[in-house]
Amino acid sequence: MKRMLIGSLLASLLFTFPAMAAADAAEGDVIITLGENLTEQQKQQILNEMNAPDNAQIITVSNAEEHKYLDGLIPKAQIGTRAISSSMITIGAKGSGLDVETHNITWVTEEMYTNALITAGVKDAKIYVTAPFAVSGTAALTGLMKAYEVSSDQVIPEDVKKVATEEMVKTAKLGESIGTDKAVALLAKIKEEIANNPPQTDADLRALIEKIAKDLGITLTEDEINSLISLFNKMKNANIDWNQVNDQLSKAKDKLSTFLQSEEGKTFIQNIIDILKEIWNAIKSAFTSSEPQNNQ
């Protein structure tokens, strides 16, 4: 897993390519996004790393486009002044779900990208995010969303792009206090519950967040709870296809529940098992001690 600062790619795709370019997109089609400020040598290095096919569409991402979605979410210094991060999207078979891999991305994890891309409506694709040196990865999401628009000939609404970017950033920040795997699992589970049974009031939403956090063994501060309420209210008001979100979350469940496979998660589960064993042994002991003694 990976985590931490400077990313670059996301945005440029937003305005540079006509959506009609991908009307014929099919399984196996590839679109590559390259940061505008990469040197020619770095571009070639990244294309070689990706094993990019000769017929791949290539789109350039600018730093200005990155700022469009990240300003106000993270410090401008963290966004930086150069577009560096790059990505490759390969269209997958219908129903295949999302598969995300990263290299040199230090703050945003693969699961965070998966979760945010699901919110944005991206589906059925293999995604690779990289940079020529270690970067945070915050900027990559904008480019990924635009690349998906180009590849699928589907426009992602602006409000959905913004809330997906905010989700990625808030998950990364939350991961700094509770752990990245727990943060991803928490956000995924809340979205799943909202898709199946949307809360009607802020009080309902708060209760849902607190319950899921408790179920996952997560302690949230009041500020963190309020931040999540704000985020999910924006999601509720955005033009999100919740049926698709639920479907893609189901396909990605194995990837989004890495906390349960991690050492920390296994320890958490083992502790529960040990407690249940102690309770069972205590019950057995109580019954044994209450049995009548045979005095023969």
PDB file of all heavy atoms in Angstrom, residues 153-190:
ATOM      1  N   ASP A 153     -17.303   7.601 -23.579  1.00  0.00           N
ATOM      2  CA  ASP A 153     -18.254   8.524 -24.193  1.00  0.00           C
ATOM      3  C   ASP A 153     -19.400   8.857 -23.235  1.00  0.00           C
ATOM      4  O   ASP A 153     -20.541   9.020 -23.645  1.00  0.00           O
ATOM      5  CB  ASP A 153     -18.801   7.942 -25.502  1.00  0.00           C
ATOM      6  CG  ASP A 153     -19.441   9.014 -26.382  1.00  0.00           C
ATOM      7  OD1 ASP A 153     -19.115  10.201 -26.190  1.00  0.00           O
ATOM      8  OD2 ASP A 153     -20.267   8.660 -27.239  1.00  0.00           O
ATOM      9  N   GLN A 154     -19.089   8.936 -21.935  1.00  0.00           N
ATOM     10  CA  GLN A 154     -20.072   9.303 -20.925  1.00  0.00           C
ATOM     11  C   GLN A 154     -19.533  10.484 -20.121  1.00  0.00           C
ATOM     12  O   GLN A 154     -18.401  10.454 -19.649  1.00  0.00           O
ATOM     13  CB  GLN A 154     -20.346   8.121 -19.980  1.00  0.00           C
ATOM     14  CG  GLN A 154     -20.968   6.922 -20.666  1.00  0.00           C
ATOM     15  CD  GLN A 154     -21.212   5.775 -19.708  1.00  0.00           C
ATOM     16  OE1 GLN A 154     -21.155   5.941 -18.501  1.00  0.00           O
ATOM     17  NE2 GLN A 154     -21.464   4.602 -20.255  1.00  0.00           N
ATOM     18  N   VAL A 155     -20.360  11.503 -19.960  1.00  0.00           N
ATOM     19  CA  VAL A 155     -19.945  12.688 -19.215  1.00  0.00           C
ATOM     20  C   VAL A 155     -20.230  12.497 -17.732  1.00  0.00           C
ATOM     21  O   VAL A 155     -21.334  12.113 -17.339  1.00  0.00           O
ATOM     22  CB  VAL A 155     -20.687  13.939 -19.722  1.00  0.00           C
ATOM     23  CG1 VAL A 155     -20.343  15.159 -18.869  1.00  0.00           C
ATOM     24  CG2 VAL A 155     -20.336  14.205 -21.183  1.00  0.00           C
ATOM     25  N   ILE A 156     -19.218  12.729 -16.896  1.00  0.00           N
ATOM     26  CA  ILE A 156     -19.402  12.682 -15.441  1.00  0.00           C
ATOM     27  C   ILE A 156     -19.797  14.088 -14.991  1.00  0.00           C
ATOM     28  O   ILE A 156     -19.059  15.048 -15.234  1.00  0.00           O
ATOM     29  CB  ILE A 156     -18.110  12.247 -14.734  1.00  0.00           C
ATOM     30  CG1 ILE A 156     -17.675  10.860 -15.211  1.00  0.00           C
ATOM     31  CG2 ILE A 156     -18.301  12.249 -13.216  1.00  0.00           C
ATOM     32  CD1 ILE A 156     -16.309  10.427 -14.689  1.00  0.00           C
ATOM     33  N   PRO A 157     -20.946  14.253 -14.336  1.00  0.00           N
ATOM     34  CA  PRO A 157     -21.380  15.586 -13.909  1.00  0.00           C
ATOM     35  C   PRO A 157     -20.341  16.271 -13.029  1.00  0.00           C
ATOM     36  O   PRO A 157     -19.631  15.615 -12.264  1.00  0.00           O
ATOM     37  CB  PRO A 157     -22.672  15.310 -13.140  1.00  0.00           C
ATOM     38  CG  PRO A 157     -23.169  14.004 -13.684  1.00  0.00           C
ATOM     39  CD  PRO A 157     -21.927  13.216 -13.992  1.00  0.00           C
ATOM     40  N   GLU A 158     -20.265  17.597 -13.139  1.00  0.00           N
ATOM     41  CA  GLU A 158     -19.265  18.359 -12.392  1.00  0.00           C
ATOM     42  C   GLU A 158     -19.395  18.153 -10.888  1.00  0.00           C
ATOM     43  O   GLU A 158     -18.401  18.035 -10.180  1.00  0.00           O
ATOM     44  CB  GLU A 158     -19.389  19.847 -12.722  1.00  0.00           C
ATOM     45  CG  GLU A 158     -18.851  20.220 -14.087  1.00  0.00           C
ATOM     46  CD  GLU A 158     -17.347  20.009 -14.175  1.00  0.00           C
ATOM     47  OE1 GLU A 158     -16.595  20.640 -13.415  1.00  0.00           O
ATOM     48  OE2 GLU A 158     -16.917  19.191 -15.018  1.00  0.00           O
ATOM     49  N   ASP A 159     -20.641  18.135 -10.375  1.00  0.00           N
ATOM     50  CA  ASP A 159     -20.808  17.979  -8.926  1.00  0.00           C
ATOM     51  C   ASP A 159     -20.330  16.615  -8.458  1.00  0.00           C
ATOM     52  O   ASP A 159     -19.820  16.466  -7.345  1.00  0.00           O
ATOM     53  CB  ASP A 159     -22.258  18.229  -8.499  1.00  0.00           C
ATOM     54  CG  ASP A 159     -23.258  17.306  -9.185  1.00  0.00           C
ATOM     55  OD1 ASP A 159     -22.896  16.650 -10.183  1.00  0.00           O
ATOM     56  OD2 ASP A 159     -24.420  17.237  -8.725  1.00  0.00           O
ATOM     57  N   VAL A 160     -20.447  15.617  -9.320  1.00  0.00           N
ATOM     58  CA  VAL A 160     -19.980  14.270  -8.973  1.00  0.00           C
ATOM     59  C   VAL A 160     -18.457  14.228  -8.959  1.00  0.00           C
ATOM     60  O   VAL A 160     -17.844  13.620  -8.075  1.00  0.00           O
ATOM     61  CB  VAL A 160     -20.555  13.218  -9.952  1.00  0.00           C
ATOM     62  CG1 VAL A 160     -19.968  11.843  -9.658  1.00  0.00           C
ATOM     63  CG2 VAL A 160     -22.074  13.183  -9.859  1.00  0.00           C
ATOM     64  N   LYS A 161     -17.821  14.890  -9.930  1.00  0.00           N
ATOM     65  CA  LYS A 161     -16.354  14.957  -9.953  1.00  0.00           C
ATOM     66  C   LYS A 161     -15.827  15.603  -8.677  1.00  0.00           C
ATOM     67  O   LYS A 161     -14.863  15.138  -8.062  1.00  0.00           O
ATOM     68  CB  LYS A 161     -15.871  15.750 -11.167  1.00  0.00           C
ATOM     69  CG  LYS A 161     -16.068  15.065 -12.510  1.00  0.00           C
ATOM     70  CD  LYS A 161     -15.597  15.983 -13.623  1.00  0.00           C
ATOM     71  CE  LYS A 161     -15.866  15.365 -14.988  1.00  0.00           C
ATOM     72  NZ  LYS A 161     -15.522  16.286 -16.091  1.00  0.00           N
ATOM     73  N   LYS A 162     -16.484  16.686  -8.271  1.00  0.00           N
ATOM     74  CA  LYS A 162     -16.025  17.414  -7.094  1.00  0.00           C
ATOM     75  C   LYS A 162     -16.198  16.590  -5.825  1.00  0.00           C
ATOM     76  O   LYS A 162     -15.303  16.548  -4.970  1.00  0.00           O
ATOM     77  CB  LYS A 162     -16.776  18.741  -6.983  1.00  0.00           C
ATOM     78  CG  LYS A 162     -16.346  19.750  -8.039  1.00  0.00           C
ATOM     79  CD  LYS A 162     -17.113  21.063  -7.934  1.00  0.00           C
ATOM     80  CE  LYS A 162     -16.643  22.048  -8.993  1.00  0.00           C
ATOM     81  NZ  LYS A 162     -17.400  23.327  -8.953  1.00  0.00           N
ATOM     82  N   VAL A 163     -17.329  15.906  -5.684  1.00  0.00           N
ATOM     83  CA  VAL A 163     -17.551  15.143  -4.460  1.00  0.00           C
ATOM     84  C   VAL A 163     -16.668  13.901  -4.427  1.00  0.00           C
ATOM     85  O   VAL A 163     -16.215  13.472  -3.365  1.00  0.00           O
ATOM     86  CB  VAL A 163     -19.045  14.784  -4.294  1.00  0.00           C
ATOM     87  CG1 VAL A 163     -19.451  13.611  -5.162  1.00  0.00           C
ATOM     88  CG2 VAL A 163     -19.358  14.476  -2.827  1.00  0.00           C
ATOM     89  N   ALA A 164     -16.367  13.314  -5.589  1.00  0.00           N
ATOM     90  CA  ALA A 164     -15.465  12.159  -5.637  1.00  0.00           C
ATOM     91  C   ALA A 164     -14.052  12.575  -5.232  1.00  0.00           C
ATOM     92  O   ALA A 164     -13.354  11.847  -4.511  1.00  0.00           O
ATOM     93  CB  ALA A 164     -15.460  11.546  -7.037  1.00  0.00           C
ATOM     94  N   THR A 165     -13.623  13.755  -5.699  1.00  0.00           N
ATOM     95  CA  THR A 165     -12.298  14.266  -5.321  1.00  0.00           C
ATOM     96  C   THR A 165     -12.251  14.556  -3.826  1.00  0.00           C
ATOM     97  O   THR A 165     -11.267  14.230  -3.148  1.00  0.00           O
ATOM     98  CB  THR A 165     -11.971  15.545  -6.115  1.00  0.00           C
ATOM     99  OG1 THR A 165     -12.046  15.254  -7.516  1.00  0.00           O
ATOM    100  CG2 THR A 165     -10.575  16.046  -5.781  1.00  0.00           C
ATOM    101  N   GLU A 166     -13.315  15.155  -3.299  1.00  0.00           N
ATOM    102  CA  GLU A 166     -13.363  15.444  -1.860  1.00  0.00           C
ATOM    103  C   GLU A 166     -13.345  14.146  -1.052  1.00  0.00           C
ATOM    104  O   GLU A 166     -12.696  14.063  -0.009  1.00  0.00           O
ATOM    105  CB  GLU A 166     -14.614  16.253  -1.525  1.00  0.00           C
ATOM    106  CG  GLU A 166     -14.691  16.648  -0.057  1.00  0.00           C
ATOM    107  CD  GLU A 166     -15.830  17.600   0.256  1.00  0.00           C
ATOM    108  OE1 GLU A 166     -16.417  18.182  -0.682  1.00  0.00           O
ATOM    109  OE2 GLU A 166     -16.142  17.765   1.456  1.00  0.00           O
ATOM    110  N   GLU A 167     -14.044  13.129  -1.540  1.00  0.00           N
ATOM    111  CA  GLU A 167     -14.040  11.831  -0.859  1.00  0.00           C
ATOM    112  C   GLU A 167     -12.622  11.264  -0.775  1.00  0.00           C
ATOM    113  O   GLU A 167     -12.190  10.788   0.284  1.00  0.00           O
ATOM    114  CB  GLU A 167     -14.943  10.846  -1.592  1.00  0.00           C
ATOM    115  CG  GLU A 167     -14.907   9.441  -1.001  1.00  0.00           C
ATOM    116  CD  GLU A 167     -15.680   8.431  -1.822  1.00  0.00           C
ATOM    117  OE1 GLU A 167     -16.262   8.811  -2.862  1.00  0.00           O
ATOM    118  OE2 GLU A 167     -15.697   7.257  -1.430  1.00  0.00           O
ATOM    119  N   MET A 168     -11.892  11.316  -1.887  1.00  0.00           N
ATOM    120  CA  MET A 168     -10.527  10.796  -1.906  1.00  0.00           C
ATOM    121  C   MET A 168      -9.651  11.523  -0.891  1.00  0.00           C
ATOM    122  O   MET A 168      -8.927  10.895  -0.112  1.00  0.00           O
ATOM    123  CB  MET A 168      -9.934  10.948  -3.303  1.00  0.00           C
ATOM    124  CG  MET A 168      -8.479  10.517  -3.420  1.00  0.00           C
ATOM    125  SD  MET A 168      -7.729  11.046  -4.981  1.00  0.00           S
ATOM    126  CE  MET A 168      -7.648  12.835  -4.746  1.00  0.00           C
ATOM    127  N   VAL A 169      -9.726  12.863  -0.878  1.00  0.00           N
ATOM    128  CA  VAL A 169      -8.891  13.661   0.021  1.00  0.00           C
ATOM    129  C   VAL A 169      -9.267  13.412   1.480  1.00  0.00           C
ATOM    130  O   VAL A 169      -8.396  13.223   2.335  1.00  0.00           O
ATOM    131  CB  VAL A 169      -9.006  15.161  -0.323  1.00  0.00           C
ATOM    132  CG1 VAL A 169      -8.316  16.010   0.743  1.00  0.00           C
ATOM    133  CG2 VAL A 169      -8.391  15.440  -1.688  1.00  0.00           C
ATOM    134  N   LYS A 170     -10.568  13.397   1.771  1.00  0.00           N
ATOM    135  CA  LYS A 170     -10.995  13.197   3.158  1.00  0.00           C
ATOM    136  C   LYS A 170     -10.660  11.788   3.648  1.00  0.00           C
ATOM    137  O   LYS A 170     -10.347  11.585   4.824  1.00  0.00           O
ATOM    138  CB  LYS A 170     -12.489  13.486   3.303  1.00  0.00           C
ATOM    139  CG  LYS A 170     -12.802  14.973   3.251  1.00  0.00           C
ATOM    140  CD  LYS A 170     -14.225  15.307   3.674  1.00  0.00           C
ATOM    141  CE  LYS A 170     -14.407  16.818   3.758  1.00  0.00           C
ATOM    142  NZ  LYS A 170     -15.787  17.200   4.150  1.00  0.00           N
ATOM    143  N   THR A 171     -10.736  10.809   2.762  1.00  0.00           N
ATOM    144  CA  THR A 171     -10.354   9.448   3.155  1.00  0.00           C
ATOM    145  C   THR A 171      -8.874   9.392   3.484  1.00  0.00           C
ATOM    146  O   THR A 171      -8.466   8.757   4.468  1.00  0.00           O
ATOM    147  CB  THR A 171     -10.682   8.442   2.028  1.00  0.00           C
ATOM    148  OG1 THR A 171     -12.045   8.575   1.653  1.00  0.00           O
ATOM    149  CG2 THR A 171     -10.446   7.016   2.510  1.00  0.00           C
ATOM    150  N   ALA A 172      -8.048  10.061   2.659  1.00  0.00           N
ATOM    151  CA  ALA A 172      -6.602  10.074   2.915  1.00  0.00           C
ATOM    152  C   ALA A 172      -6.293  10.768   4.241  1.00  0.00           C
ATOM    153  O   ALA A 172      -5.457  10.300   5.021  1.00  0.00           O
ATOM    154  CB  ALA A 172      -5.879  10.771   1.762  1.00  0.00           C
ATOM    155  N   LYS A 173      -6.964  11.892   4.505  1.00  0.00           N
ATOM    156  CA  LYS A 173      -6.750  12.603   5.769  1.00  0.00           C
ATOM    157  C   LYS A 173      -7.213  11.757   6.956  1.00  0.00           C
ATOM    158  O   LYS A 173      -6.538  11.685   7.989  1.00  0.00           O
ATOM    159  CB  LYS A 173      -7.489  13.943   5.758  1.00  0.00           C
ATOM    160  CG  LYS A 173      -6.878  14.985   4.831  1.00  0.00           C
ATOM    161  CD  LYS A 173      -7.659  16.293   4.873  1.00  0.00           C
ATOM    162  CE  LYS A 173      -7.017  17.364   4.013  1.00  0.00           C
ATOM    163  NZ  LYS A 173      -7.805  18.623   4.005  1.00  0.00           N
ATOM    164  N   LEU A 174      -8.370  11.116   6.818  1.00  0.00           N
ATOM    165  CA  LEU A 174      -8.886  10.254   7.883  1.00  0.00           C
ATOM    166  C   LEU A 174      -7.937   9.089   8.125  1.00  0.00           C
ATOM    167  O   LEU A 174      -7.730   8.654   9.267  1.00  0.00           O
ATOM    168  CB  LEU A 174     -10.274   9.748   7.505  1.00  0.00           C
ATOM    169  CG  LEU A 174     -11.095   9.024   8.576  1.00  0.00           C
ATOM    170  CD1 LEU A 174     -11.323   9.927   9.788  1.00  0.00           C
ATOM    171  CD2 LEU A 174     -12.429   8.568   7.990  1.00  0.00           C
ATOM    172  N   GLY A 175      -7.333   8.599   7.038  1.00  0.00           N
ATOM    173  CA  GLY A 175      -6.390   7.494   7.158  1.00  0.00           C
ATOM    174  C   GLY A 175      -5.187   7.833   8.011  1.00  0.00           C
ATOM    175  O   GLY A 175      -4.574   6.941   8.612  1.00  0.00           O
ATOM    176  N   GLU A 176      -4.845   9.119   8.091  1.00  0.00           N
ATOM    177  CA  GLU A 176      -3.709   9.531   8.912  1.00  0.00           C
ATOM    178  C   GLU A 176      -3.987   9.344  10.398  1.00  0.00           C
ATOM    179  O   GLU A 176      -3.060   9.169  11.194  1.00  0.00           O
ATOM    180  CB  GLU A 176      -3.360  10.990   8.631  1.00  0.00           C
ATOM    181  CG  GLU A 176      -2.806  11.218   7.235  1.00  0.00           C
ATOM    182  CD  GLU A 176      -2.541  12.687   6.956  1.00  0.00           C
ATOM    183  OE1 GLU A 176      -3.030  13.544   7.720  1.00  0.00           O
ATOM    184  OE2 GLU A 176      -1.852  12.988   5.962  1.00  0.00           O
ATOM    185  N   SER A 177      -5.270   9.364  10.790  1.00  0.00           N
ATOM    186  CA  SER A 177      -5.604   9.231  12.215  1.00  0.00           C
ATOM    187  C   SER A 177      -6.092   7.836  12.591  1.00  0.00           C
ATOM    188  O   SER A 177      -5.837   7.370  13.698  1.00  0.00           O
ATOM    189  CB  SER A 177      -6.657  10.276  12.615  1.00  0.00           C
ATOM    190  OG  SER A 177      -7.864  10.076  11.904  1.00  0.00           O
ATOM    191  N   ILE A 178      -6.772   7.142  11.675  1.00  0.00           N
ATOM    192  CA  ILE A 178      -7.323   5.823  12.051  1.00  0.00           C
ATOM    193  C   ILE A 178      -6.708   4.680  11.255  1.00  0.00           C
ATOM    194  O   ILE A 178      -7.007   3.510  11.518  1.00  0.00           O
ATOM    195  CB  ILE A 178      -8.855   5.789  11.885  1.00  0.00           C
ATOM    196  CG1 ILE A 178      -9.259   5.886  10.408  1.00  0.00           C
ATOM    197  CG2 ILE A 178      -9.516   6.885  12.718  1.00  0.00           C
ATOM    198  CD1 ILE A 178     -10.759   5.685  10.168  1.00  0.00           C
ATOM    199  N   GLY A 179      -5.861   4.998  10.273  1.00  0.00           N
ATOM    200  CA  GLY A 179      -5.276   3.962   9.414  1.00  0.00           C
ATOM    201  C   GLY A 179      -5.976   3.937   8.068  1.00  0.00           C
ATOM    202  O   GLY A 179      -7.210   4.059   7.999  1.00  0.00           O
ATOM    203  N   THR A 180      -5.219   3.774   7.000  1.00  0.00           N
ATOM    204  CA  THR A 180      -5.786   3.860   5.659  1.00  0.00           C
ATOM    205  C   THR A 180      -6.801   2.758   5.369  1.00  0.00           C
ATOM    206  O   THR A 180      -7.845   3.013   4.770  1.00  0.00           O
ATOM    207  CB  THR A 180      -4.670   3.809   4.596  1.00  0.00           C
ATOM    208  OG1 THR A 180      -3.906   2.624   4.765  1.00  0.00           O
ATOM    209  CG2 THR A 180      -3.764   5.014   4.707  1.00  0.00           C
ATOM    210  N   ASP A 181      -6.516   1.534   5.795  1.00  0.00           N
ATOM    211  CA  ASP A 181      -7.433   0.431   5.509  1.00  0.00           C
ATOM    212  C   ASP A 181      -8.770   0.637   6.203  1.00  0.00           C
ATOM    213  O   ASP A 181      -9.839   0.396   5.633  1.00  0.00           O
ATOM    214  CB  ASP A 181      -6.817  -0.905   5.939  1.00  0.00           C
ATOM    215  CG  ASP A 181      -5.641  -1.309   5.069  1.00  0.00           C
ATOM    216  OD1 ASP A 181      -5.548  -0.797   3.935  1.00  0.00           O
ATOM    217  OD2 ASP A 181      -4.807  -2.114   5.517  1.00  0.00           O
ATOM    218  N   LYS A 182      -8.721   1.100   7.466  1.00  0.00           N
ATOM    219  CA  LYS A 182      -9.963   1.360   8.198  1.00  0.00           C
ATOM    220  C   LYS A 182     -10.744   2.501   7.553  1.00  0.00           C
ATOM    221  O   LYS A 182     -11.975   2.444   7.457  1.00  0.00           O
ATOM    222  CB  LYS A 182      -9.649   1.699   9.652  1.00  0.00           C
ATOM    223  CG  LYS A 182      -9.276   0.496  10.523  1.00  0.00           C
ATOM    224  CD  LYS A 182      -9.114   0.926  11.970  1.00  0.00           C
ATOM    225  CE  LYS A 182      -8.815  -0.268  12.868  1.00  0.00           C
ATOM    226  NZ  LYS A 182      -8.685   0.128  14.289  1.00  0.00           N
ATOM    227  N   ALA A 183     -10.034   3.536   7.121  1.00  0.00           N
ATOM    228  CA  ALA A 183     -10.696   4.683   6.505  1.00  0.00           C
ATOM    229  C   ALA A 183     -11.418   4.253   5.223  1.00  0.00           C
ATOM    230  O   ALA A 183     -12.568   4.640   4.984  1.00  0.00           O
ATOM    231  CB  ALA A 183      -9.682   5.782   6.198  1.00  0.00           C
ATOM    232  N   VAL A 184     -10.754   3.455   4.401  1.00  0.00           N
ATOM    233  CA  VAL A 184     -11.366   2.977   3.159  1.00  0.00           C
ATOM    234  C   VAL A 184     -12.569   2.098   3.462  1.00  0.00           C
ATOM    235  O   VAL A 184     -13.642   2.247   2.848  1.00  0.00           O
ATOM    236  CB  VAL A 184     -10.332   2.194   2.318  1.00  0.00           C
ATOM    237  CG1 VAL A 184     -11.024   1.475   1.160  1.00  0.00           C
ATOM    238  CG2 VAL A 184      -9.263   3.135   1.781  1.00  0.00           C
ATOM    239  N   ALA A 185     -12.428   1.184   4.408  1.00  0.00           N
ATOM    240  CA  ALA A 185     -13.529   0.286   4.763  1.00  0.00           C
ATOM    241  C   ALA A 185     -14.719   1.078   5.291  1.00  0.00           C
ATOM    242  O   ALA A 185     -15.877   0.779   4.965  1.00  0.00           O
ATOM    243  CB  ALA A 185     -13.061  -0.730   5.802  1.00  0.00           C
ATOM    244  N   LEU A 186     -14.455   2.092   6.105  1.00  0.00           N
ATOM    245  CA  LEU A 186     -15.525   2.923   6.673  1.00  0.00           C
ATOM    246  C   LEU A 186     -16.304   3.631   5.570  1.00  0.00           C
ATOM    247  O   LEU A 186     -17.533   3.574   5.529  1.00  0.00           O
ATOM    248  CB  LEU A 186     -14.925   3.947   7.636  1.00  0.00           C
ATOM    249  CG  LEU A 186     -15.898   4.964   8.243  1.00  0.00           C
ATOM    250  CD1 LEU A 186     -16.897   4.275   9.159  1.00  0.00           C
ATOM    251  CD2 LEU A 186     -15.134   6.052   9.004  1.00  0.00           C
ATOM    252  N   LEU A 187     -15.588   4.300   4.661  1.00  0.00           N
ATOM    253  CA  LEU A 187     -16.258   5.044   3.589  1.00  0.00           C
ATOM    254  C   LEU A 187     -17.037   4.108   2.674  1.00  0.00           C
ATOM    255  O   LEU A 187     -18.160   4.426   2.264  1.00  0.00           O
ATOM    256  CB  LEU A 187     -15.230   5.831   2.778  1.00  0.00           C
ATOM    257  CG  LEU A 187     -14.867   7.253   3.226  1.00  0.00           C
ATOM    258  CD1 LEU A 187     -15.980   8.237   2.930  1.00  0.00           C
ATOM    259  CD2 LEU A 187     -14.481   7.319   4.689  1.00  0.00           C
ATOM    260  N   ALA A 188     -16.454   2.964   2.353  1.00  0.00           N
ATOM    261  CA  ALA A 188     -17.129   2.010   1.463  1.00  0.00           C
ATOM    262  C   ALA A 188     -18.406   1.485   2.096  1.00  0.00           C
ATOM    263  O   ALA A 188     -19.453   1.387   1.439  1.00  0.00           O
ATOM    264  CB  ALA A 188     -16.190   0.854   1.123  1.00  0.00           C
ATOM    265  N   LYS A 189     -18.350   1.155   3.377  1.00  0.00           N
ATOM    266  CA  LYS A 189     -19.518   0.602   4.061  1.00  0.00           C
ATOM    267  C   LYS A 189     -20.624   1.649   4.198  1.00  0.00           C
ATOM    268  O   LYS A 189     -21.811   1.338   4.021  1.00  0.00           O
ATOM    269  CB  LYS A 189     -19.107   0.076   5.446  1.00  0.00           C
ATOM    270  CG  LYS A 189     -20.238  -0.627   6.196  1.00  0.00           C
ATOM    271  CD  LYS A 189     -20.744  -1.840   5.431  1.00  0.00           C
ATOM    272  CE  LYS A 189     -21.836  -2.568   6.208  1.00  0.00           C
ATOM    273  NZ  LYS A 189     -22.433  -3.670   5.413  1.00  0.00           N
ATOM    274  N   ILE A 190     -20.254   2.891   4.503  1.00  0.00           N
ATOM    275  CA  ILE A 190     -21.264   3.949   4.608  1.00  0.00           C
ATOM    276  C   ILE A 190     -21.962   4.137   3.263  1.00  0.00           C
ATOM    277  O   ILE A 190     -23.195   4.247   3.184  1.00  0.00           O
ATOM    278  CB  ILE A 190     -20.631   5.275   5.078  1.00  0.00           C
ATOM    279  CG1 ILE A 190     -20.112   5.140   6.520  1.00  0.00           C
ATOM    280  CG2 ILE A 190     -21.661   6.406   5.016  1.00  0.00           C
ATOM    281  CD1 ILE A 190     -19.295   6.328   6.990  1.00  0.00           C
TER     282      ILE A 190
END
